[in-house]
Amino acid sequence: TNSYNNSGTGGDGIKTKSTDDDEGYVTINGGTVTINAGSSGAGDGIQAKQNFYMNGGTVDIYTYAGYTYTGSGSTSSSGNQGGMGNQGGMNDSGNTNSTENSCKGIKAVGRYVDEDADDPTYSDQGNTWIYAGDITINSSDDCIHTGGNVYLYGGTYDLCSADDAIHSDNDLYIGQTAANTYSDPYIEIGYSYEGIEGFDIIVNCGSVLVYATDDGFNAAGGSDSTGISGGGGFDQGNMGSGGSDGSQCLTINGGYTYVDASDDGLDSNGDMYLNGGYVCVVQNGSGNEPLDYGDSNACYYNGGTVIAVGNGESMGEMPSNALFDASSGLSITAGSTITFTDSSGNVLATLNTPYNVTMMTFCCDSVSSATCYTGATLSGVTYFAGLTNCTYNSGYRFGYGGTASGGTTIESQGNVDGGTSGDQGPNGGGDSSSGPGGNSGNQGGGF
């Protein structure tokens, strides 16, 4: 058991600085690590100059004021913070609760060309590989943040952040191989500004539950800039891979994804691929949509079960091969149960919505038609776990299987502005089993 308490002085809990080959890594293979990274100043929980690896054990990190930070305080008092800058929150993200200095949970910085420049160019490293372990982070800044790629191949995560829960300046993988398995990794984001953000985001398996006051998922590209410019640290410029040019991609290949968002639920500045698994999106907020993709891009539905509901003015972006779509005009009250069945009354998907619903789309590759009901009597349904931490909209859940009877039928309106996704497109993304990383048990040991 290792405990690091910097609550009175600020500063990082665990930190590596070296840019030399075979140095600058942080590796956790087991045991318990508890970090309080400063209530009176700035500091990251764990900061690896190069890569972060975790193969087991328990990590519990608290930074600054935790996820309840409102932007009314200051994190500029840590004048000796210095170094390891160029790695922060979201550049012009609109998050009024962004910290002035870096207060991240786990941060892998990476190596940059001309690191002392105001806007250095990313070179390599700065990756996070997590294969197993239990991670709890309550952070005023991003919970997990990397200048390189994020590989969350296993483990259990309990994350709450006043900014992004998980952010990669480059690509972000959840699960190693595409499969309809739901237990590993298991990621619960009980509170965040944006839940999961990266250039390309690929979900292969496991469960991801997100509560976000902005976007739930955001395949946006580029880097963040909140969080390190004060306290002696370097200014954080744009160090990620490009901007929002339409080449970004969000791909879901399997597992279970649940998003509760106040802006867009699933947002890709490029294409979106829904290839498998169970996906449930509930979106609350005028002017936004459950599914959102680039203006010159499309949402390609190729498999799995998808239900996406919202209460904005209209839903113009959805797969054109959906079984049910209503772009506007629905009147389903918060707390209602929405259920889709096949022609025999077997439940394809059911959702207890925390918000009023005015628009909705549904996709399922196991049937050629589906009927939507509210208020049906359900029996034998298998439910996924719902959000439980941070108490935001806990208790609402999504399920499948069993039977339904009774209820009020909700009519589909027919597709509205589905773009070109009726062609179903290529199977974007794929699994990441051939990507970098491999078993990291022997990498970075001893640093």
Side-chain angles (χ1 to χ4, degrees), residues 262-263 283-290 309-316 326-330 355-360:
S262 297
D263 203 279
Q283 179 271 327
N284 178 44
S286 177
N288 301 297
E289 301 185 64
V309 303
N311 60 17
E313 287 85 0
S314 65
M315 184 174 179
S327 63
S328 62
L330 297 180
Y355 308 117
N356 295 333
V357 173
T358 61
M359 52 190 180
M360 177 166 55

Side-chain angles (χ1 to χ4, degrees), residues 160-406:
C160 290
S161 171
D163 205 340
D164 300 342
I166 305 171
H167 175 99
S168 172
D169 283 358
N170 289 280
D171 297 338
L172 195 158
Y173 297 88
I174 297 174
Q176 191 163 3
T177 303
N180 284 328
T181 56
Y182 313 111
S183 60
D184 192 40
Y186 191 92
I187 301 170
E188 182 173 352
I189 299 171
Y191 189 90
S192 64
Y193 177 69
E194 289 197 332
I196 296 176
E197 184 175 47
F199 190 88
D200 288 343
I201 302 173
I202 300 95
V203 179
N204 285 314
C205 61
S207 291
V208 185
L209 290 75
V210 176
Y211 178 89
T213 59
D214 196 72
D215 296 338
F217 281 65
N218 188 8
S223 65
D224 295 4
S225 67
T226 64
I228 311 188
S229 57
F234 297 125
D235 180 62
Q236 302 181 65
N238 296 318
M239 285 118 9
S241 357
S244 301
D245 58 4
S247 63
Q248 300 81 10
C249 186
L250 170 60
T251 302
I252 299 178
N253 293 319
Y256 172 54
T257 301
Y258 178 91
V259 174
D260 180 335
S262 297
D263 203 279
D264 296 320
L266 301 180
D267 188 357
S268 174
N269 287 2
D271 291 325
M272 184 182 303
Y273 295 91
L274 304 175
N275 296 328
Y278 286 92
V279 178
C280 177
V281 180
V282 292
Q283 179 271 327
N284 178 44
S286 177
N288 301 297
E289 301 185 64
L291 307 178
D292 186 24
Y293 45 86
D295 293 340
S296 301
N297 300 94
C299 178
Y300 298 100
Y301 169 74
N302 295 298
T305 301
V306 180
I307 180 169
V309 303
N311 60 17
E313 287 85 0
S314 65
M315 184 174 179
E317 297 184 341
M318 63 185 76
S320 65
N321 53 343
L323 294 180
F324 179 101
D325 46 60
S327 63
S328 62
L330 297 180
S331 182
I332 301 173
T333 58
S336 297
T337 298
I338 301 169
T339 303
F340 286 90
T341 71
D342 64 13
S343 58
S344 300
N346 297 307
V347 174
L348 303 171
T350 184
L351 162 69
N352 181 225
T353 175
Y355 308 117
N356 295 333
V357 173
T358 61
M359 52 190 180
M360 177 166 55
T361 190
F362 176 74
C363 305
C364 184
D365 61 350
S366 64
V367 294
S368 58
S369 63
T371 304
C372 181
Y373 300 93
T374 58
T377 299
L378 305 177
S379 177
V381 174
T382 298
Y383 288 98
F384 289 101
L387 287 163
T388 58
N389 60 8
C390 302
T391 70
Y392 289 89
N393 285 345
S394 60
Y396 293 92
R397 54 186 184 170
F398 172 87
Y400 64 95
T403 58
S405 61

